[in-house]
Amino acid sequence: MVVKGLSHYSEQIGIIGGGPAGLFVARELLRLGLKVDVFEASKQIGRPPHCTGIVSTRTFERFSIGFDCVEGVYREAVFVDERLRVFARVEGTPLAIKLCRPCLEELLAIQVLELGGRLFLGAKATHVDSQGKLFLERGRVKTYDHIVVADGATRTISRKLFKSQCSWLTGVEVRVVLQKRVRCDAFYTFHGPRFSRGFFAWFAPVKDGREAVIGVGSKNAVVERLNHMLKLFDKLVGIAGVYERRSGIILGGPPAQKPVVGRVYGIGDSLCTSKPFTGGGLYAISILYRPLALAIRLEQPRVYKEAYGALTRELKLQHLYTKIARNTWPLAKKLLELVFKRKCHIDFDKHS
Ligand SMILES: Cc1cc2nc3c(=O)[nH]c(=O)nc-3n(C[C@H](O)[C@H](O)[C@H](O)COP(=O)(O)OP(=O)(O)OC[C@H]3O[C@@H](n4cnc5c(N)ncnc54)[C@H](O)[C@@H]3O)c2cc1C
């Protein structure tokens, strides 16, 4: 939706980062009639990919992106332990949707350009000041009315700015072609020290169960653990080929204390707003991109601070539960087993 009568509004916004956070905000600001420049360090939008792209149906709805980037619809999440025993199942109608990540960013970039935004690729920002100065490599400086920092999990610019002390671990995943077709309406998470330290491994079927994404998040030995998963699935269903290796940083929170510093706003992994149990960062982006754009348009940072405050209260609680569950894992697993003895409905975003 383009808000009529507001186009060519003179405010200019500079956005650092052409990932989902930066691009969703850019699209929204343009729809509100503001002028937007997006600076992306990489030479290609959405590349290299670094995300499985699983979101809840509500997160998907909030994104308003249509179905072009959907590559999987899951009705069930299955929890598996070290002995390959299923200890919990969670279902929904559907429970989650898998987005193709490079496709998501490409789609958003096209929408941003169509709405009149400017996208600068291979343009790395080095720092910003709170009054709206954006510094780029090779000494270039631009001045904006507002700046949005969406620099992702590396947080090179946002870390100091928003004072976030975020826990993290490494995630790697590959796409595989399967010899046997598998059920495609469920994804699986694998728990226990052989699969991961401090997180889990996953298997998410795509392409009608003919291919899958196999990944591991762990505090150490991610490559060894990924190889263990590949051997396991080669035995179980046969792997005909492995392609597209991805890796990145999975954040575990807690979220940054403040999302606004002067004329600079943060969003996405730059604020460390991932869901602590799954590392999913797209949920928070879906909640925050509209309030952020509105706050800038109305010159009312309060609008964004309130939305951020409500979200972080929820995430901090999730952070606490996750910490307790991970520190007492055998006990927490038993509890999950009891609670989920029968298939159970759950809010995929709130973990409740
Ligand atoms: C293996 C793995 C699996 C994941 N799976 C899921 C999942 O299933 N569901 C989910 O919700 N989340 C998942 N996540 C988390 C998800 O990837 C992030 O939360 C999400 O990408 C955050 O989006 P963002 O736009 O904030 O950051 P990013 O996607 O990292 O985008 C940031 C962009 O900013 C650019 N940039 C950085 N610094 C600069 C600079 N100085 N100047 C200019 N540009 C810059 C980067 O090149 C990048 O394009 C996963 C993460 C990993 C690592």
Side-chain angles (χ1 to χ4, degrees), residues 16-22 39-42 50-55 101 123-125 150-154 156-157 171 202 248-250 267-269 274 279-282 285:
I16 299 172
F39 298 93
E40 167 53 49
S42 168
H50 55 271
C51 173
T52 320
I54 297 179
V55 295
R101 266 298 296 268
K124 186 168 183 184
D151 58 353
T154 51
T156 44
I157 294 174
W202 59 92
I249 297 168
I250 298 175
I267 186 164
D269 280 4
S274 294
L282 297 172
I285 295 170

Side-chain angles (χ1 to χ4, degrees), residues 308-321:
Y308 186 74
L311 176 76
T312 51
R313 278 193 290 283
E314 178 197 318
L315 289 177
K316 277 179 189 161
L317 208 61
Q318 284 189 26
H319 191 251
L320 185 70
Y321 293 156

Side-chain angles (χ1 to χ4, degrees), residues 162-204:
F162 303 115
K163 297 195 183 5
S164 55
Q165 299 279 335
C166 193
S167 65
W168 60 274
L169 42 80
T170 310
V172 286
E173 63 175 29
V174 288
R175 287 180 76 112
V176 295
V177 181
L178 303 171
Q179 279 169 358
K180 270 189 223 154
R181 197 169 160 186
V182 297
R183 173 185 172 198
C184 62
D185 65 347
F187 68 95
Y188 300 77
T189 58
F190 296 80
H191 303 260
R194 282 179 79 192
F195 294 114
S196 165
R197 215 185 120 222
F199 202 67
F200 54 83
W202 59 92
F203 175 88

Side-chain angles (χ1 to χ4, degrees), residues 100-154:
C100 157
R101 266 298 296 268
C103 162
L104 172 68
E105 274 109 309
E106 281 160 18
L107 176 85
L108 286 169
I110 291 169
Q111 293 180 342
V112 164
L113 293 173
E114 281 175 355
L115 287 163
R118 296 196 300 177
L119 194 50
F120 299 90
L121 298 178
K124 186 168 183 184
T126 54
H127 58 291
V128 295
D129 77 11
S130 60
Q131 293 314 305
K133 275 209 170 75
L134 193 159
F135 299 83
L136 293 155
E137 275 183 339
R138 290 190 286 278
R140 287 170 296 158
V141 186
K142 299 219 166 207
T143 305
Y144 289 97
D145 296 296
H146 295 280
I147 293 174
V148 176
V149 179
D151 58 353
T154 51

Side-chain angles (χ1 to χ4, degrees), residues 218-263:
S218 182
K219 283 185 183 159
N220 61 8
V222 269
V223 176
E224 290 81 347
R225 289 185 160 107
L226 181 67
N227 287 337
H228 171 64
M229 282 288 281
L230 288 172
K231 271 189 205 144
L232 176 68
F233 276 92
D234 196 27
K235 238 193 236 164
L236 291 174
V237 283
I239 291 179
V242 177
Y243 70 105
E244 207 171 75
R245 182 176 279 265
R246 310 166 170 205
S247 64
I249 297 168
I250 298 175
L251 299 177
Q257 281 169 18
K258 45 182 180 179
V260 186
V261 177
R263 303 198 143 260

